[in-house]
Structures are given as C-alpha cells and as structure tokens.
Amino acid sequence: MSEKKLMSLDDMFGDSINTTEQENQTKIEISRLMPFENHPFKLYEGERFENMVRSIKEFGVIVPVIVRPKGYDYEILSGHNRVNAAKAAGLLEVPVVIKENLEDEEAMLIVTETNLMQRSFGDMLHSERAAALSEHHKALSSQGKRTDLLKEIESLLNADEIRDEETSSPVGKKLRTHEQIGEAYNLSKNSIARYLRISKLADELKEFIDSEEISIRAGVDLSYLLDEEQILIADILTSNEFKIDMKKAETLRAFSEGKKLNEETAYSILSGELNKKPKANKPAPIKLKPKLISKFFAPEIKQPEIEEVIEKALELYFETQKKEVLDE
DNA sequence: GGCTTGAATCGCTCCCGTTT
DNA sequence: AAACGGGAGCGATTCAAGCC
C-alpha cells in the first residue's frame, strides 16, 4: 500500500500514450476545422470577441489550435474562440497542432483542460466548472493513461496560472482524488463533490444553475432525480415563475427516492403548496425536558456523554425486558 | 479458482461558522 | 434567513492479501 506513493506518475503511467512522435505543428485552412461536438463551454461574444478579433488582426494567432483528424477535416479540441476570431479577422488559415489517435474521452479531456488553463476558473459558468472538474476527475480516477495527458496539455499551452500548486506540492504527498483535484483548483473536497454532482445534472437544469436561479446545493439534490424527473422539473420551471430553494430541492429528492415524484407532486412542490417531505424513515428528533436531564446529569456534562449514557441505559432496559418476556 | 478479511477509498450527511 | 464552504465522520464499496 505504501509503495504506491513512492512511484512517480511516469512510473505508473509511463508508456501508455506516446504522443510526442505523433505531434506535428502546421497550418490548416480554417474551412477545414470543425467545432468539437457539444463542447461544454460558451463561446466568446460581444466585446470580448471583438477584442480577440482585433488582437488577431494585429498579431495573428500565436498559440496553435489543437485539433484531431476527423474524416478529411479536423475537429477543434482547443481554440474555438481563436478560430472564430481568426475567421472574423479575415484569416484563411491558422497554426494547429494535430493530435492523432485520441480516444473520445481523451479528446474531451483536452477540450476541458485547455479551456481551464486559458480562462480563470472563476470566470467560468458553474456548468463549465462542473464539466471540467468531472473530466479531470475521470482522468485521475481511471488509473490509466491520461494523467500524462494532463501534463502534456499543460506544456503545450505553457499554462502557468492555475496549476502551480500541484506541481510544487511535496513529493510523495498522497491525496484522495477529490482532495487532489481540490488542491489543484483551490476548492475543498466537498465543493469538488458538489460540482461532480452538478455535472450529472440534465442540461436543462444546468442552465438554471448557470443563471443562478438554482443554487449549487439545491442542484446537488436535484442531481439525484432520474433524468426524466429532472427534465420534468426544468419544464415546469420554464413555464412557470417558480423558484427552487434548497428546501424544495430536498423535498423533490425525497419524493423521487420514495418513487412519489410525478407531474402533480412536482408541480405542487415547486409551487410551494406541498412543502413537507413524504413520510421520512427517520424519526423526528425529540426534546427532553431540562428537569429530566438535571435529575440524572450534572450541569457540566456535555451532550455526547449524556447520549452515550442514555443509549447504554436503553440497551440495558430492552435487554432485561426481552428476558422477562422469555421467562414468562 | 474461490472465499474471507481488513484496509483504503469514496460519496455522502451532518454540523458549524461566515458571508450575503 | 438563505447560501455557502469547510471539517468531521459514517456507511458502503473496492481491492489486495492470505487462506482453503
């Protein structure tokens, strides 16, 4: 168990991908570059886009676009904005790095990681963060081939912003996957876990997360709903003025778990008519009268200790009761 | 080859303090 | 009051080692 931490990433993931020899930088006509299918990032618009066009008119495209072959053309993995801006600037071709033989998942990782490195994480929409973290998480938890891919992307783009902590972290420090990612992005493991839940949300609901009409934490609860339930919720939200707070999200989840979520219940939860959860399995907490407590415990005794004593006492009580029943 | 067992890990909940 | 990030810790799962 302990030797693992002594191995370097290269030892672990060594030769599984051999990219350097397949990598070639060249120039390709813009007309042969296709966007990556459903990539999770919003493209630049308005002033931001105009600035980019202006910069490209002046200096050209400096950082090569990363592409992979697709049929006779090429699919853009990184650089959608640069390509669009270059087209608008009137360029006919852009510098590209062609990556051959990538699995779809690896391609997706490049799409998300490069985006992450070029934009500050804070600028991203929640759903974009979720997608990026989810890809990163997949890459780390499938102990296979892609950890080196992350490194390679890094060097390709000369990114030095976000990830400096990761590279400078003490040798041999072993972190759980969530913590590892969290350290890289400066988020707690809990936040990583929440974003990973968000990445599982139906696209229809992700939009509400992005517009901040649904909070992250409410989104986490909604992510436990079945796909069709999520779409149902999104539908109801779109056609009504309802808001989802954490309470409603919790209630929806409880109904979903109890298989009681349908169009009617969903509607009444969202409208606020129905706000109590379906009969929870958990017993409601009970309060003990202070008088009762002071009868058996000194005032300085803390709650955990009191609970412990109560538990022991009850165990004893039920045990003797059982015996009595058997004796009869 | 199957099984048991114990440690590691993961996903999660509960709770708390802070911020808005 | 609601939303949030973070700490602690729990239960379930996974995985490897040791056994038959």
Side-chain angles (χ1 to χ4, degrees), chain A residues 22 49 78 91 121 131 172 174 181 255 270 274:
Chain A
Q22 298 160 346
F49 182 71
S78 159
L91 299 189
F121 196 63
K174 193 179 177 188
I181 302 175
F255 269 77
L270 291 172
L274 187 53

Side-chain angles (χ1 to χ4, degrees), chain A residues 290-301:
Chain A
K291 214 171 138 190
L292 179 66
I293 297 183
S294 54
K295 185 172 171 187
F296 296 101
F297 300 96
E300 68 270 16
I301 311 281

Side-chain angles (χ1 to χ4, degrees), chain A residues 75-89:
Chain A
E75 185 174 37
I76 305 169
L77 302 181
S78 159
H80 288 84
N81 285 309
R82 272 166 284 155
V83 170
N84 286 344
K87 203 191 282 180

Side-chain angles (χ1 to χ4, degrees), chain A residues 60 127 315:
Chain A
S127 67
E315 276 168 11

Side-chain angles (χ1 to χ4, degrees), chain A residues 131-164:
Chain A
L133 292 174
S134 161
E135 286 307 314
H136 199 114
H137 181 251
K138 267 193 241 162
L140 285 178
S141 50
S142 75
Q143 291 222 329
K145 39 199 174 176
R146 292 181 297 173
T147 323
D148 55 342
L149 199 60
L150 290 175
K151 295 203 159 172
E152 200 205 325
I153 298 165
E154 216 172 307
S155 64
L156 252 175
L157 292 173
N158 267 329
D160 49 10
E161 279 182 27
I162 283 185
R163 207 125 309 108
D164 48 354

Side-chain angles (χ1 to χ4, degrees), chain A residues 169-207:
Chain A
S169 64
V171 189
K173 183 171 167 190
K174 193 179 177 188
L175 295 170
R176 320 265 177 280
T177 314
H178 282 178
E179 286 169 348
Q180 211 175 327
I181 302 175
E183 199 167 80
Y185 298 105
N186 239 335
L187 292 170
S188 73
K189 68 179 174 122
N190 287 331
S191 304
I192 299 296
R194 283 175 188 138
Y195 274 118
L196 291 177
R197 295 294 333 176
I198 295 298
S199 75
K200 292 190 168 68
L201 271 179
D203 292 345
E204 289 85 343
L205 283 180
K206 279 186 193 146
E207 288 178 22

